[in-house]
């Protein structure tokens, strides 16, 4: 992010990026499969250091076996481990899923809470997970700062740094918050299709007209 940019400049650039991605990906949606709020919450926990595709392979059995937060509260951790073993870090994740079930049952009446503060109290839940639940389940303004979001907004010049919380706060200052949640979903789609880590296809990127990285390459005659 250029030191010469004003906040007004960043807002304008952010809005342009939002508009371009809306045109490129008109139907953004979470790539995790779920039917109930607690299923999304738990799926995001499973997705840590694991692909969404892998999570979607294990959750059908998981959510068929344990249908409610109350079921998870009473679950045998070893059985949860068995079901999710292919996700990686499965022992910690299994413990967290059972812990989430217990807290939802004992403190929230079996319902997923709808505030950042309450969600962050749940085992293994950080701001990324909480933001995704708030945005997708409750329709609240949210900025889901995953690796795609951090990497691409750094390249665009909208944010600086790799700290997810700091990047989230930078984006909250410049994004149209009523479109921020979908913007983050679109960044995931774009990061997988075009702005791929270590080999971004700047020449084929709809954002290259407002991206500091792409414009810098073009100025050097290196755009591809």
């Amino acid at each position: 992010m250029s030191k010469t940019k004003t906040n007004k400049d960043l807002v304008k650039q952010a809005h342009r990026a939002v508009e371009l991605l809306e045109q490129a990906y008109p139907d953004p949606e979470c790539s995790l499969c779920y039917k109930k709020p607690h299923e999304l919450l738990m799926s995001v926990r499973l997705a840590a250091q694991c692909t969404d595709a892998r999570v979607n392979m294990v959750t059908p059995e998981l959510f068929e076996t344990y249908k409610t937060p109350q079921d998870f509260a009473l679950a045998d951790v070893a059985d949860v481990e068995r079901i999710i073993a292919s996700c990686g870090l499965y022992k910690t994740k299994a413990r967290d899923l059972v812990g989430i079930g217990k807290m939802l049952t004992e403190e929230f009446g079996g319902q997923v809470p709808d505030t950042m503060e309450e969600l962050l109290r749940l085992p293994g839940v950080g701001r990324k997970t909480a933001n995704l639940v708030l945005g997708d389940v409750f329709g609240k303004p949210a900025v889901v700062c995953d690796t795609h979001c951090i990497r691409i907004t750094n390249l665009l010049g909208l944010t600086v740094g790799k700290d997810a919380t700091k990047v989230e706060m930078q984006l909250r200052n410049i994004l149209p918050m009523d479109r921020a949640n979908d913007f983050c979903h679109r960044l995931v789609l774009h990061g997988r299709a075009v702005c791929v880590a270590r080999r971004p296809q700047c020449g084929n990127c709809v954002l290259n007209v407002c991206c500091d990285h792409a414009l810098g390459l073009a100025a050097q005659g290196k755009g591809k």
Side-chain angles (χ1 to χ4, degrees), residues 5-84:
K5 286 184 187 176
T6 66
N7 191 69
K8 184 177 180 180
D9 293 331
L10 288 169
V11 168
K12 182 178 180 180
Q13 184 182 6
H15 280 240
R16 182 62 174 145
V18 168
E19 292 168 355
L20 289 168
L21 287 183
E22 286 175 347
Q23 295 169 19
Y25 307 95
D27 299 308
E29 59 182 19
C30 180
S31 56
L32 292 168
C33 298
Y34 69 97
K35 296 179 180 178
K36 304 172 185 177
H38 77 273
E39 293 180 355
L40 176 60
L41 177 65
M42 294 181 173
S43 293
V44 181
R45 178 66 191 98
L46 289 175
Q49 299 184 43
C50 179
T51 66
D52 290 354
R54 170 57 59 181
V55 173
N56 288 336
M57 291 175 66
V58 305
T59 50
E61 180 182 356
L62 181 68
F63 296 145
E64 180 61 30
T65 304
Y66 304 104
K67 294 181 172 65
T68 67
Q70 292 87 342
D71 290 340
F72 276 97
L74 298 172
D76 181 345
V77 174
D79 187 54
V80 177
E81 289 178 358
R82 175 189 64 79
I83 296 172
I84 68 170

Side-chain angles (χ1 to χ4, degrees), residues 148-180:
H148 291 289
C149 177
I150 294 169
R151 177 173 57 80
I152 296 175
T153 59
N154 272 206
L155 289 173
L156 286 168
L158 297 176
T159 63
V160 173
K162 305 299 182 183
D163 183 277
T165 300
K166 291 181 179 178
V167 170
E168 177 193 336
M169 297 309 164
Q170 292 173 54
L171 289 172
R172 283 182 177 273
N173 285 329
I174 59 175
L175 286 174
M177 287 305 297
D178 60 332
R179 297 151 77 186

Side-chain angles (χ1 to χ4, degrees), residues 197-208:
R198 293 182 294 279
R199 50 184 177 86
Q201 302 169 38
C202 298
N204 299 321
C205 179
V206 297
L207 298 177
N208 60 21

